[in-house]
């Protein structure tokens, strides 16, 4: 009697398999732990550091100051000023004003609203699963996946051919799930290709603070162009995933205005006292540098332990992540050729799970990388990584000897 299908923008969203994987990990951990060993978790992008105390204190101070009323649409001026200072200090950008900024509920809302501006787009494959499973159907978009090469470098001809006629290109730098950092030259070429094809760039910079080996994050906002929509978040940089606060920066004031309207319509703006805490996080450089430095040093250690352990194993092809906290090894050489289709998608995932190693299978990040799995080292300490390497050795040395 009542309608059973609802608007396509919601009906077509698929819940990320990463959520169901986490449920499966919980269930299988109980089984696995009966053998006296623990499940080693590499499946989630959650960070095992707490939000720094100075930010928590600032949120309390915000409450005490009475910042409990409706927020200003698109963000409070004090936070926008902090963001402008940050952009000048870190990226040398000084031609922007508060009108170029929209404060959002995490990077997620900034991305979702930006995707909604358009009717078709493209992005590299592999790509963050949420872009494919949530933003694309929610915005009702056509989306073209452009595969990176095996070493995650860019095939520029393919990029040019595929962005032609597209409204936007989604770029995630540093990248989830590969840990790839697009360097200055790559970034410039990508931006040039998009620009000469009349294409906007939705630039997801969620992992801006996690680049290793002395590299520096270069934001696309450094390019003085109206086709750039840069999305930032407090979630990863300050381990504030549950606070839900981020911001969009664009020189295109028409776009900023539309995003502000979208943000107002959806949520009427981000919780006022949290904006106060976010401003403190950006302004208190000494505390921020200390907190970020500590996380970054720990992630670098974990990355090194994971990389040097896996690098030695036969049949696993991997690139050392330069940023973020993910590794995306490929197992083509160890998957028997007769294993195909759905069975192939989960082959390595299942093999690892049986040894108590939880990962995410590559097809969650697009259809071109089914022989990969993603390992997140955001919440796996080095001793557990070493234990995991021992288990990898058992699985893969045995297989190559056979
Ligand atoms: N971009 C990428 C690539 C991500 O992995 C994430 C979160 N995992 C986000 C954006 C958004 O994070 P948040 O909404 O917490 O800011």
């Amino acid at each position: 009697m009542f309608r059973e299908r609802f608007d396509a923008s919601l009906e077509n969203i698929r819940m990320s398999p990463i959520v169901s994987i986490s449920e499966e990990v919980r269930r299988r951990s109980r089984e696995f732990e009966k053998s006296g060993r623990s499940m080693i978790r590499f499946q989630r992008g959650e960070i095992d550091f707490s939000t720094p105390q100075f930010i928590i204190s600032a949120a309390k101070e915000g409450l005490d100051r009475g910042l409990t009323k409706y927020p200003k649409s698109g963000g409070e001026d004090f936070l926008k000023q902090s963001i402008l200072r940050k952009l000048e200090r870190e990226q040398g950008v000084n031609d922007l004003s508060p009108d170029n900024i929209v404060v959002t509920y995490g990077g997620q809302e900034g991305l979702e609203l930006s995707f909604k501006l358009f009717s078709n787009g493209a992005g590299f494959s592999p790509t963050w699963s949420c872009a494919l499973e949530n933003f694309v159907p929610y915005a009702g978009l056509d989306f073209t996946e452009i595969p990176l090469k095996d070493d995650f470098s860019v095939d520029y001809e393919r990029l040019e051919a595929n962005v032609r006629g597209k409204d936007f290109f989604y770029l995630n730098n540093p990248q989830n799930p590969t840990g790839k950092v697009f360097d200055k030259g790559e970034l410039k070429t990508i931006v040039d290709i998009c620009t000469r094809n009349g294409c906007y760039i939705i630039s997801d910079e969620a992992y801006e603070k996690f680049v290793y080996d002395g590299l520096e994050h270069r934001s696309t906002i450094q390019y003085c162009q109206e086709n750039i929509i840069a999305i930032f978040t407090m979630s990863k940089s300050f381990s504030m995933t549950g606070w839900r606060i981020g911001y969009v920066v664009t020189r295109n004031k028409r776009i900023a205005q539309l995003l502000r309207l979208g943000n107002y319509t959806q949520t009427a703006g981000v919780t006022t006292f949290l904006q106060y805490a976010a401003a403190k996080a950006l302004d208190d450089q000494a505390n921020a540098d200390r907190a970020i430095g500590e996380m970054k040093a720990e992630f670098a250690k974990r990355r090194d332990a994971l990389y040097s352990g896996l690098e030695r194993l036969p049949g696993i092809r991997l690139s050392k992540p330069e940023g973020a906290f993910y590794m995306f090894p490929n197992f083509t050489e160890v998957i028997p050729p007769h294993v195909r289709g759905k069975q192939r998608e989960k082959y390595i995932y299942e093999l690892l799970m049986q040894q108590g190693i939880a990962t995410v299978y590559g097809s969650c990040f697009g259809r071109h990388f089914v022989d990969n799995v993603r390992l997140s080292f955001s919440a796996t300490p080095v001793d557990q990584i070493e234990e995991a390497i021992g288990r990898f050795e058992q699985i893969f040395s045995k297989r190559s000897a056979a």
Side-chain angles (χ1 to χ4, degrees), residues 28 42 76 108 112 164 211 364:
R28 293 184 63 170
F42 290 104
E76 297 294 333
Q108 180 114 355
E112 171 253 308
R164 205 166 291 139
V211 291
C364 295

Side-chain angles (χ1 to χ4, degrees), residues 90-202:
E90 295 182 1
Q91 301 291 336
V93 170
N94 60 8
D95 62 322
L96 301 176
S97 73
D99 290 350
N100 300 108
I101 296 170
V102 186
V103 177
T104 55
Y105 272 95
Q108 180 114 355
E109 192 193 18
L111 286 163
E112 171 253 308
L113 287 171
S114 302
F115 273 57
K116 234 173 154 25
L117 290 164
F118 302 113
S119 53
N120 61 58
F124 288 130
S125 177
T127 194
W128 178 37
S129 50
C130 200
L132 300 174
E133 281 143 14
N134 299 78
F135 307 147
V136 165
Y138 189 58
L141 285 171
D142 278 332
F143 191 80
T144 305
E145 295 174 49
I146 308 171
L148 290 169
K149 294 186 195 164
D150 283 348
D151 62 355
F152 307 140
S153 61
V154 182
D155 180 338
Y156 292 111
E157 269 173 38
R158 204 164 183 166
L159 177 67
E160 178 110 40
N162 281 286
V163 295
R164 205 166 291 139
K166 295 289 188 310
D167 291 340
F168 76 92
F169 181 73
Y170 169 62
L171 178 70
N172 175 212
N173 184 36
Q175 206 208 28
N176 176 4
T178 58
K180 158 106 181 151
V181 171
F182 296 92
D183 67 22
K184 195 172 161 187
E186 289 173 308
L187 214 54
K188 170 130 181 42
T189 314
I190 294 166
V191 170
D192 285 349
I193 289 175
C194 292
T195 305
R196 69 170 169 261
N197 284 285
C199 193
Y200 283 88
I201 298 166
I202 298 180

Side-chain angles (χ1 to χ4, degrees), residues 45 105-109 111 128 130 135 170 172 174-176 204-207 231-236 240-242 244-246 325-326 374:
Y105 272 95
Q108 180 114 355
E109 192 193 18
L111 286 163
W128 178 37
C130 200
F135 307 147
Y170 169 62
N172 175 212
Q175 206 208 28
N176 176 4
D204 177 352
E205 307 190 15
Y207 297 94
I231 283 100
F232 301 89
T233 174
M234 305 298 289
S235 286
K236 313 286 175 181
M240 291 170 67
T241 48
R244 314 306 310 132
I245 183 158
F325 35 63
Y326 305 106
R374 187 189 76 173

Side-chain angles (χ1 to χ4, degrees), residues 77-95:
D77 289 331
F78 57 77
L79 176 53
K80 290 185 172 185
Q81 292 301 339
S82 302
I83 293 167
L84 290 171
R85 280 193 288 276
K86 175 214 169 208
L87 290 170
E88 173 152 20
R89 196 170 62 234
E90 295 182 1
Q91 301 291 336
V93 170
N94 60 8
D95 62 322

